[in-house]
Amino acid sequence: MKPLIYDLDLDALSRTLQQWGQPAYRARQIWRGLYVNLWHRADQFSVLPQEVRQKLAQHFAFAHLTPEKSLESSDKKTTKVLFRLPNGEAIETVLMRYRQRRTLCISTQAGCAMGCVFCATGQMGFRANLSGGEIVEQVLYFARQLKPLGERLTNVVVMGMGEPFHNYEATLAAIDRLNHHEGFNMGARRFTISTVGLVPMIRRFAAERRQINLAISLHAADDETRAAMLPINKKYPLDVLLAACREYVEATHRRITFEWALIHEHNDTPEQAAKLAALLQGLNCHVNVIPLNPTQGYTGQPTTRRRALEFCRVLESHGIPCTIRARRGIDIQAGCGQLAVQA
Ligand code: SAH
Ligand code: SF4
């Protein structure tokens, strides 16, 4: 299989072109072709001599992802695409249109090893890691779809299939590629990585002091409840997790987000809200709650509107900002935690 061209950074591309005996500016021409013009076939590179176009086609793949299925929600605001990878695995990517925003929810793995009980991807188990280039390609694919409409992606959330910090290098390499100022040039602050709470990687991310937004999937405010929902809590309990979160906020001076899927009469009680408020005291943070999206392998049900409002009210009475998120795309199984590919 030919290497995917989006797996190369500008330096690696420059080295290749140098080996081909090409002048130094060629790599930048190709880079702009890929990430500014959004070209995805060697023959589109009209700025290059025929010989270089041929070499590109011989040596590199311009796609590893084959779109197999595309589904649109009934309100037309959410589109989900299923892509097949060269290894036969499949992933899903979701575009959400909300007012001026065009937010893409991308996957970093096929399946997920973390086994969170309420999550459809977790219920599948781990299948494969994506390469950085395959993560990048999801974004380029949708950018190409939007271009003829005069639209651009405004935000990328790493909240699709997989645990991004369980595929750390590829995820960060992808964001670096898309962030590059001579290429796709999407600002670091337009990206959000969501993690289940892999503490060593949160520490590493904090030390890198990036401007990328960080969200932590919390879902419960005591170890017993959280470990029953998110097995990773047995390895990294709440005190260790919250210490790493505080380190991140201190190192980056950025606000951290906590995510909470509200499950009826389980973690949507005023007691859980009060415990959560105590955990987060003094931390520069924000809580996003979303009613659970029911999945096949889990009996929990979504909270009610009234209980969600009460949960947020308790948090806010303790000075912790809270937002209730809408469940988008659930009619096409494109909502949070619903991504799963039937084998
Ligand atoms: N693995 C990462 C990112 C992917 S999941 C993580 O866990 O953070 C993206 C978000 O959807 C996480 O906050 C996750 O907890 C949440 N989620 C998973 N299943 C869900 C469900 N059934 N209903 C609502 N949210 C869910
Ligand atoms: Fe994996 Fe995130 Fe789902 Fe947990 S919630 S199983 S970490 S994708």
Side-chain angles (χ1 to χ4, degrees):
M1 194 175 54
K2 287 185 234 173
L4 183 62
I5 196 154
Y6 319 118
D7 272 315
L8 277 68
D9 61 17
L10 184 52
D11 280 349
L13 192 63
S14 302
R15 284 195 299 276
T16 304
L17 272 292
Q18 207 178 11
Q19 280 161 14
W20 294 352
Q22 290 297 317
Y25 60 85
R26 283 277 183 257
R28 284 198 155 70
Q29 285 181 314
I30 297 170
W31 194 256
R32 277 193 296 275
L34 293 171
Y35 296 109
V36 180
N37 304 320
L38 306 179
W39 291 335
H40 54 109
R41 290 191 322 268
D43 65 19
Q44 291 174 307
F45 287 74
S46 46
V47 290
L48 300 176
Q50 180 70 20
E51 171 210 348
V52 181
R53 272 184 265 172
Q54 273 174 359
K55 275 207 146 127
L56 277 179
Q58 270 164 18
H59 286 85
F60 292 107
F62 286 78
H64 269 184
L65 304 180
T66 312
E68 268 191 10
K69 225 196 285 180
S70 176
L71 292 173
E72 206 161 353
S73 62
S74 47
D75 65 4
K76 304 273 180 216
K77 289 196 160 83
T78 305
T79 306
K80 178 174 86 167
V81 174
L82 181 143
F83 293 104
R84 186 71 55 185
L85 294 158
N87 60 11
E89 298 296 343
I91 55 151
E92 295 180 329
T93 310
V94 179
L95 174 67
M96 291 162 284
R97 303 173 187 82
Y98 181 67
R99 301 204 176 132
Q100 297 311 308
R101 282 193 177 219
R102 298 291 175 272
T103 302
L104 195 68
C105 179
I106 61 171
S107 295
T108 53
Q109 300 178 316
C112 181
M114 299 297 134
C116 306
V117 294
F118 51 86
C119 169
T121 310
Q123 291 158 17
M124 287 174 68
F126 177 76
R127 309 294 288 262
N129 271 328
L130 300 197
S131 75
E134 290 162 350
I135 299 170
V136 166
E137 195 186 333
Q138 297 169 60
V139 177
L140 295 179
Y141 176 89
F142 280 91
R144 286 179 209 126
Q145 305 283 308
L146 292 177
K147 199 175 179 182
L149 309 171
E151 295 180 5
R152 300 176 69 127
L153 291 171
T154 58
N155 301 81
V156 171
V157 295
V158 189
M159 297 189 185
M161 295 174 78
E163 166 49 44
F165 280 178
H166 190 215
N167 190 14
Y168 189 94
E169 265 94 21
T171 300
L172 273 297
I175 295 177
D176 284 342
R177 206 82 78 245
L178 295 164
N179 185 218
H180 197 280
H181 64 282
E182 289 175 76
F184 199 72
N185 198 20
M186 191 163 197
R189 291 177 178 217
R190 294 181 177 274
F191 292 87
T192 301
I193 296 181
S194 172
T195 178
V196 70
L198 297 181
V199 166
M201 296 301 146
I202 296 172
R203 290 238 162 84
R204 176 170 171 189
F205 187 72
E208 290 174 13
R209 295 173 190 262
R210 293 163 176 276
Q211 295 298 299
I212 300 164
N213 301 300
L214 183 63
I216 308 286
S217 296
L218 212 53
H219 306 304
D222 63 82
D223 281 321
E224 195 187 338
T225 312
R226 190 165 187 269
M229 297 162 74
L230 292 75
I232 196 71
N233 196 83
K234 294 181 194 119
K235 196 160 180 190
Y236 305 115
L238 283 166
D239 56 343
V240 176
L241 175 59
L242 267 298
C245 293
R246 286 180 193 277
E247 224 173 88
Y248 166 83
V249 171
E250 270 160 38
T252 61
H253 303 290
R254 292 190 65 74
R255 190 173 75 164
I256 192 165
T257 299
F258 293 99
E259 290 164 284
W260 194 284
L262 284 168
I263 305 166
H264 191 61
E265 289 183 358
H266 181 54
N267 65 352
D268 65 346
T269 59
E271 295 75 47
Q272 277 288 319
K275 274 191 194 173
L276 175 59
L279 271 186
L280 304 184
Q281 243 0 281
L283 185 61
N284 181 16
C285 70
H286 182 267
V287 175
N288 274 338
V289 300
I290 185 164
L292 178 82
N293 281 318
T295 56
Q296 255 188 4
Y298 182 65
T299 54
Q301 289 304 308
T303 191
T304 59
R305 178 86 191 150
R306 193 182 56 77
R307 291 175 71 92
L309 286 168
E310 177 59 13
F311 190 90
C312 273
R313 196 199 57 75
V314 173
L315 283 180
E316 291 192 326
S317 73
H318 288 88
I320 295 172
C322 177
T323 309
I324 304 178
R325 298 284 165 191
R327 299 189 297 160
R328 297 188 189 286
I330 44 175
D331 60 331
I332 54 166
Q333 304 281 303
C336 283
Q338 284 186 312
L339 303 185
V341 176
Q342 269 80 41

